[in-house]
Amino acid sequence: TAANYDWRNTPLDLPFAGAGVTVQPNDQSCPRLRVVFSDGSASASGCTYRINAATEPRDLDGDGNPDVVLEISAGRTLRNSWLFAYTIRDEQPRLLGFVTAAMLANRDPGQAYDVEFPGATAAPGQVTVLQFMLDGGTHRTVTRTFRWTGGRFTPDPPAPDTRVDTRP
């Protein structure tokens, strides 16, 4: 199950929507590919990828089996990361869906991150995420709940910046 799967030491197809993902600073790119994580880290094409469990395993999709929210990051110099929910089917990791951004670096490497992620908790059918977001030039703390709607996670409240809830 997702509760006892070794997420930090596994081959995994990166769950990005496009052929690559834009990472900051300065609109750099990291490719979507299959990596083999070792102790939570993998490197390929000049990018470093990391994986960590962001929540304790819980049944997020209502099938009676535990699922997990993973923080998956990509970066060349600064870390950009996103939260994705996974389950295990046929003894293999399967993506349930994208949740939200965890860390989004600013285009200017000297500035604070646009989004920071201090933590998340999971309960049956939902994920609650604490985020620090840049909103109109100031950072604010937002607690958001993402409910599983049978095919995706729906946020409440929406993020002030649409990049936060757009799958990379």
Side-chain angles (χ1 to χ4, degrees):
T1 70
N4 56 19
Y5 191 81
D6 189 2
W7 294 102
R8 292 179 47 82
N9 294 289
T10 187
L12 191 68
D13 294 320
L14 294 172
F16 307 139
V21 62
T22 300
V23 295
Q24 299 303 335
N26 306 319
D27 295 325
Q28 298 174 37
S29 181
C30 286
R32 178 189 69 205
L33 40 79
R34 184 172 186 82
V35 297
V36 178
F37 287 103
S38 176
D39 197 26
S41 185
S43 295
S45 301
C47 293
T48 299
Y49 301 95
R50 289 191 170 76
I51 189 170
N52 284 299
T55 66
E56 293 294 321
R58 298 286 185 263
D59 182 9
L60 298 174
D61 62 357
D63 69 356
N65 296 310
D67 311 301
V68 67
V69 176
L70 300 174
E71 180 183 10
I72 298 176
S73 69
R76 291 186 178 273
T77 56
L78 296 178
R79 181 173 90 135
N80 294 258
S81 65
W82 304 268
L83 302 177
F84 294 92
Y86 276 85
T87 193
I88 298 293
R89 292 204 181 103
D90 301 322
E91 299 180 15
Q92 296 297 314
R94 299 285 185 248
L95 178 68
L96 285 178
F98 171 70
V99 180
T100 189
M103 303 283 289
L104 293 178
N106 191 290
R107 291 188 77 215
D108 179 347
Q111 296 296 314
Y113 273 63
D114 291 343
V115 175
E116 295 182 52
F117 159 74
T121 58
Q126 70 182 37
V127 179
T128 301
V129 179
L130 180 63
Q131 292 171 304
F132 301 139
M133 286 188 247
L134 189 61
D135 182 15
T138 60
H139 276 90
R140 67 181 194 148
T141 303
V142 181
T143 301
R144 304 172 67 218
T145 300
F146 297 81
R147 288 183 173 68
W148 180 252
T149 60
R152 67 187 196 98
F153 290 91
T154 303
D156 181 29
D161 179 343
T162 58
R163 294 179 312 139
V164 175
D165 292 335
T166 302
R167 183 176 170 184

